[in-house]
Amino acid sequence: MAGYCTVADVAALTQPTDGYKAVSDGRGQPTISQVQEFVDMIGDEITLAIQRAGYTIPIVSPVALTWLSMVNAFGAGSLAALTLAHHNTDTDPLHETLWDKYTARKNEILTGTAPLGTVNQDSNRPASLWTTKTAAGSDPGVSDIQPMVRRDTQF
């Protein structure tokens, strides 16, 4: 799966010295392929959050895709900053700031408040075991199948 942003989007946030290189320069800065891995990993996580929240997929709104690009760049940029910080210091304010922004936006996705369109009421989660077998207004004589377990069953 691909992410929602590009390596250039991540570079715009993290502003690496001389940009990301195709081959490691020995300074601990992630390479282009490593940053692309970060983009893809975070993009997959975002896609799972979108599916879990029950948004209508695929998301095609240009505004929503721009927002997802920003969220993806926050997460991937945080990982890129952490990689560089690992070689320099134990903590990095850029990593922490970007990670906080990413997790806040991911929580918006999970809670259904992200600007991504409609959240389906049916989130593909299984129905309760205790739902009634006849829907309101249906003909109760259509099926004579009895449930195997009833609410009052004692084991």
Side-chain angles (χ1 to χ4, degrees), residues 39-62:
V39 167
D40 293 344
M41 285 183 342
I42 294 295
D44 288 345
E45 189 172 301
I46 291 169
T47 299
L48 288 172
I50 291 169
Q51 291 172 340
R52 183 174 180 199
Y55 283 98
T56 302
I57 296 176
I59 293 176
V60 294
S61 161

Side-chain angles (χ1 to χ4, degrees), residues 75-98:
S78 174
L79 296 178
L82 182 63
T83 302
L84 186 56
H86 174 71
H87 293 276
N88 296 328
T89 62
D90 289 335
T91 60
D92 180 55
L94 179 60
H95 156 69
E96 292 173 6
T97 300
L98 292 175

Side-chain angles (χ1 to χ4, degrees), residues 22 35 53 127 136 149:
V35 174
V149 178

Side-chain angles (χ1 to χ4, degrees), residues 23-81:
V23 180
S24 176
D25 60 7
R27 294 183 300 170
Q29 186 165 295
T31 63
I32 292 171
S33 62
Q34 288 170 323
V35 174
Q36 185 61 54
E37 284 291 319
F38 297 153
V39 167
D40 293 344
M41 285 183 342
I42 294 295
D44 288 345
E45 189 172 301
I46 291 169
T47 299
L48 288 172
I50 291 169
Q51 291 172 340
R52 183 174 180 199
Y55 283 98
T56 302
I57 296 176
I59 293 176
V60 294
S61 161
V63 172
L65 291 172
T66 299
W67 189 83
L68 287 171
S69 174
M70 175 193 66
V71 175
N72 200 157
F74 285 156
S78 174
L79 296 178

Side-chain angles (χ1 to χ4, degrees), residues 5-29:
C5 71
T6 65
V7 172
D9 295 329
V10 175
L13 286 176
T14 58
Q15 300 179 354
T17 308
D18 301 326
Y20 293 116
K21 307 290 183 202
V23 180
S24 176
D25 60 7
R27 294 183 300 170
Q29 186 165 295

